[in-house]
Amino acid sequence: MRVVCVAGARPNYMKIKPVMDALERRGAEVVLVHTGQHYDPAMNDVFFTDLGIRPPDRFLGVGSGTHAEQTGRVMTAFEPLLDEVAPDLVVVVGDINSTLACALVTAKAGPLLAHVEAGLRSRDWSMPEEVNRVATDRVSDYLLAPSPDAVRNLRAEGYREDQIHLVGNVMIDTLLANLERARASDVLGRYGLARGEFGLVTLHRPGNVDDPAVLTGLLKALGEIAGRCPLVLPVHPRAAGRLAETGVPGGIRLVPPAGYLDFIALQDSARVVLTDSGGVQEETTALGVPCVTLRDNTERPVTVEQGTNVLAGRDPARIVATANRVLDAPPPPRRPELWDGRASDRIAEVLLAGGTAGTRARPTDQPGPTDRTFPI
């Protein structure tokens, strides 16, 4: 069986590596395609090195641009590649523009399509990721869900039961496989940090860093929290210019972007993590580290219901109050079911047992309970 696995940006790398490994262990021929959506070495090369991902078989080099430009370039580059490689199956992960672009091309070209992390929903249509994940699910044959809430979402949207598979969280496969290597990192010594005596911050979402008023409020709140717990902020390239323009309060230390192993080490040693990243919500839950999410919603509610994550929103006063509460009484560590390091094995078993594009019919469109009919 020939399988194309697609990655395009940092959030994809931790998800695609264990899936590739599990497929190859079972004899599948895996073709790794990197779209080049992230091309900064700090966001790309270091993660391939840290995770031991082999060089991609194909690199599309699409680069940055508007959502339409980037999505269009990925589609234009991926279509002839798919025709040349002629896979039985394409695997896309997550919710970035590359995910949707390759999903749309695959759905029209004929190979089966599998979506890893299917069913996640924030219900916030101002987030481009929400549009990407919903549209990708709609054209996928295999919906590989990380948690029970994702399964419930897919069922409510009318997908067939044979499409939906609860497999667990592949991010945690990568985390557990690399945790001891991460703990051996010297990153704490490099920055003069001590375990449990600092907080870790990440900021990168457009809604948080592109609006000067919102960013100013977030930094004000973080400055107050830093008066109690010093904060370290690895600077995402997207946020660097905005932070420089706005000014960072005392007590918040800016450091360069961290590689995967260093960043896991920082999370594992932090007293608290304040973030707007979905993946960090998952990793902190698996590590048992208190997490305060600087967003009004989350597509990973399982991290709030069963993990260590607390949703604080973006109101500065609420963020400070929430962080203080978490510092005073950290939530007990809990790891959701099937976040056990074997999600990729379950994914491979589902995909390799399902036949090929020539033997398995694509989904039949049947109206679901949430389908809407619009007058013409």
Side-chain angles (χ1 to χ4, degrees):
M1 187 179 199
R2 179 175 295 167
V3 182
V4 165
C5 288
V6 178
R10 169 185 163 170
N12 288 173
Y13 307 152
M14 295 83 81
K15 300 166 189 174
I16 205 65
K17 173 63 161 62
V19 175
M20 290 171 53
D21 290 347
L23 288 168
E24 290 180 332
R25 283 196 301 270
R26 289 161 174 80
E29 177 189 354
V30 175
V31 178
L32 175 59
V33 175
H34 189 325
T35 68
Q37 182 172 327
H38 271 175
Y39 54 94
D40 186 297
M43 304 300 292
N44 183 4
D45 298 350
V46 67
F47 279 83
F48 269 60
T49 300
D50 281 356
L51 295 173
I53 304 176
R54 60 179 168 82
D57 299 293
R58 301 295 181 91
F59 182 72
L60 305 185
V62 300
S64 61
T66 68
H67 288 287
E69 290 169 342
Q70 195 172 65
T71 303
R73 282 201 294 268
V74 174
M75 293 180 71
T76 301
F78 190 64
E79 185 177 48
L81 183 153
L82 204 62
D83 183 59
E84 176 191 344
V85 174
D88 303 299
L89 173 71
V90 174
V91 178
V92 295
V93 297
D95 52 24
I96 65 172
N97 288 339
S98 295
T99 304
L100 175 59
C102 293
L104 291 172
V105 170
T106 301
K108 294 184 178 184
L112 290 171
L113 176 65
H115 184 203
V116 175
E117 281 197 338
L120 295 181
R121 300 289 184 267
S122 69
R123 296 177 175 82
D124 180 356
W125 288 96
S126 69
M127 294 176 61
E129 296 91 344
E130 183 76 353
V131 177
N132 290 344
R133 63 177 72 103
V134 170
T136 298
D137 282 347
R138 187 63 190 88
V139 297
S140 294
D141 298 281
Y142 296 100
L143 300 167
L144 304 163
S147 52
D149 59 284
V151 170
R152 291 192 295 272
N153 289 335
L154 293 168
R155 286 175 175 160
E157 292 169 15
Y159 291 97
R160 299 194 324 264
E161 285 296 321
D162 67 300
Q163 292 178 268
I164 303 169
H165 304 272
L166 177 59
V167 294
N169 191 330
V170 290
M171 286 274 288
I172 308 309
D173 290 20
T174 298
L175 174 65
L176 296 180
N178 290 281
L179 185 54
E180 292 310 311
R181 291 176 61 220
R183 286 173 172 166
S185 165
D186 66 349
V187 67
L188 296 185
R190 269 184 275 138
Y191 294 143
L193 302 172
R195 184 177 183 86
E197 295 185 7
F198 68 96
L200 179 65
V201 180
T202 77
L203 286 174
H204 77 283
R205 290 198 175 274
N208 281 348
V209 301
D210 288 355
D211 185 325
V214 172
L215 182 58
T216 298
L218 291 174
L219 290 172
K220 178 178 181 295
L222 293 172
E224 291 189 42
I225 296 164
R228 176 176 179 182
C229 177
L231 300 178
V232 175
L233 198 171
V235 181
H236 190 287
R238 179 173 230 295
R242 302 293 189 188
L243 290 171
E245 292 170 8
T246 306
V248 177
I252 303 174
R253 181 178 179 185
L254 302 184
V255 299
Y260 179 74
L261 296 177
D262 284 353
F263 190 69
I264 293 299
L266 289 170
Q267 287 187 80
D268 185 53
S269 298
R271 183 178 174 188
V272 64
V273 176
L274 301 106
T275 187
D276 58 7
S277 163
V280 171
Q281 295 171 51
E282 296 175 318
E283 289 167 343
T284 49
T285 281
L287 293 168
V289 174
C291 178
V292 175
T293 294
L294 309 175
R295 288 169 49 189
D296 297 314
N297 50 61
T298 177
E299 66 281 357
R300 292 161 172 90
V302 68
T303 63
V304 177
E305 297 160 2
Q306 300 181 32
T308 59
N309 186 27
V310 180
L311 203 59
R314 298 188 295 174
D315 175 71
R318 183 180 168 192
I319 291 170
V320 172
T322 302
N324 283 329
R325 187 170 69 250
V326 167
L327 290 169
D328 290 336
R334 295 170 297 191
R335 187 179 295 173
E337 185 181 4
L338 299 185
W339 290 26
D340 56 3
R342 297 196 63 249
S344 54
D345 289 321
R346 289 185 283 268
I347 288 171
E349 289 165 7
V350 168
L351 299 182
L352 296 180
T356 67
T359 61
R360 182 176 183 271
R362 294 186 65 81
T364 301
D365 287 339
Q366 297 292 339
T370 60
D371 284 0
R372 293 174 292 179
T373 299
F374 294 93
I376 299 176

